Amino acid sequence: MRHPTVKWAQRSDKVYITVELPDAEDVKVKLDPHGKFFFSATSGPSKTPYEVEIDLFESVDVNESKASVSSRCICYMVKKAESKWWNRLIKQEGKTPVYLKVDWDKWVDEDEDKGGADDMDFGDFNFNSLNMGDTDDNYGEGGSDMEEETTEESKVAEKIVEEEENAEKDKEAASEVKKNYV
């Protein structure tokens, strides 16, 4: 079983998790209040299976957590049960798994965190509406299949992809400006 690249960033009240898996199919996601996060999908012409199971650092609010699916990635806004900064994303101490990376495009330092408003629009798309907040311990066995994207979900996913592309363009432009002044 392969692991897709997983990027994360946090605010005092939420964690952003982005699973980078272009053209993902048969997507299954589970999130439980104790912070157990499970993702599986297939991708590519040979339908290669991918899977990630993470024990998040602390408890989460499944009902307030949201997800968005695009053709390039699956984005999650996981609401923390308690509004405070985590020392790391996962409970496991020691070396971080190689597939887990900080999402510097979404990262905000603790002293710059204003809390409150999301800088990403997930609309009304949440774990609860997709029956993904399953609290049983049968992770990876069956799971809840994500329903096909609706028009609204597609718009949200497109907006996230557009925001990511704009952030990348801004970084490239800043790099060019920097080169011209160095």
Side-chain angles (χ1 to χ4, degrees), residues 11 13-14 16 64 66 77 115-123:
R11 303 293 185 276
D13 60 338
K14 64 185 78 76
Y16 295 109
E64 294 296 318
K66 300 177 182 185
M77 187 283 298
D118 281 332
D119 54 351
M120 293 174 54
D121 181 13
F122 284 88

Side-chain angles (χ1 to χ4, degrees), residues 7-39:
K7 291 184 173 182
W8 76 285
Q10 71 172 315
R11 303 293 185 276
S12 60
D13 60 338
K14 64 185 78 76
V15 174
Y16 295 109
I17 299 175
T18 303
V19 178
E20 294 184 336
L21 190 61
D23 303 319
E25 296 179 3
D26 304 321
V27 176
K28 294 178 180 67
V29 178
K30 286 189 182 186
L31 177 69
D32 83 6
H34 303 292
K36 179 106 91 177
F37 175 86
F38 174 81
F39 167 87

Side-chain angles (χ1 to χ4, degrees), residues 7-147:
K7 291 184 173 182
W8 76 285
Q10 71 172 315
R11 303 293 185 276
S12 60
D13 60 338
K14 64 185 78 76
V15 174
Y16 295 109
I17 299 175
T18 303
V19 178
E20 294 184 336
L21 190 61
D23 303 319
E25 296 179 3
D26 304 321
V27 176
K28 294 178 180 67
V29 178
K30 286 189 182 186
L31 177 69
D32 83 6
H34 303 292
K36 179 106 91 177
F37 175 86
F38 174 81
F39 167 87
S40 71
T42 59
S43 183
S46 61
K47 305 237 184 248
T48 305
Y50 290 83
E51 187 176 286
V52 173
E53 187 170 346
I54 300 172
D55 286 322
L56 299 174
F57 189 69
E58 294 210 7
S59 298
V60 298
D61 184 342
V62 174
N63 296 326
E64 294 296 318
S65 297
K66 300 177 182 185
S68 178
V69 180
S70 74
S71 61
R72 290 184 22 205
C73 60
I74 299 91
C75 300
Y76 305 97
M77 187 283 298
V78 178
K79 181 79 171 158
K80 296 177 181 177
E82 188 178 339
S83 189
K84 67 178 185 178
W85 277 75
W86 293 354
N87 296 335
R88 57 188 174 274
L89 177 65
I90 57 177
K91 284 183 183 174
Q92 169 191 331
E93 291 188 33
K95 187 171 167 90
T96 304
V98 295
Y99 59 85
L100 195 57
K101 304 180 183 312
V102 172
D103 190 342
W104 295 114
D105 292 332
K106 293 184 183 92
W107 191 268
V108 172
D109 287 331
E110 185 172 1
D111 58 344
E112 296 173 358
D113 184 15
K114 307 284 190 256
D118 281 332
D119 54 351
M120 293 174 54
D121 181 13
F122 284 88
D124 293 327
F125 195 94
N126 62 45
F127 283 94
N128 217 28
S129 68
L130 293 175
N131 298 320
M132 294 190 297
D134 215 334
T135 58
D136 64 14
D137 290 334
N138 298 324
Y139 291 94
E141 297 175 14
S144 301
D145 290 327
M146 292 188 85
E147 299 169 6

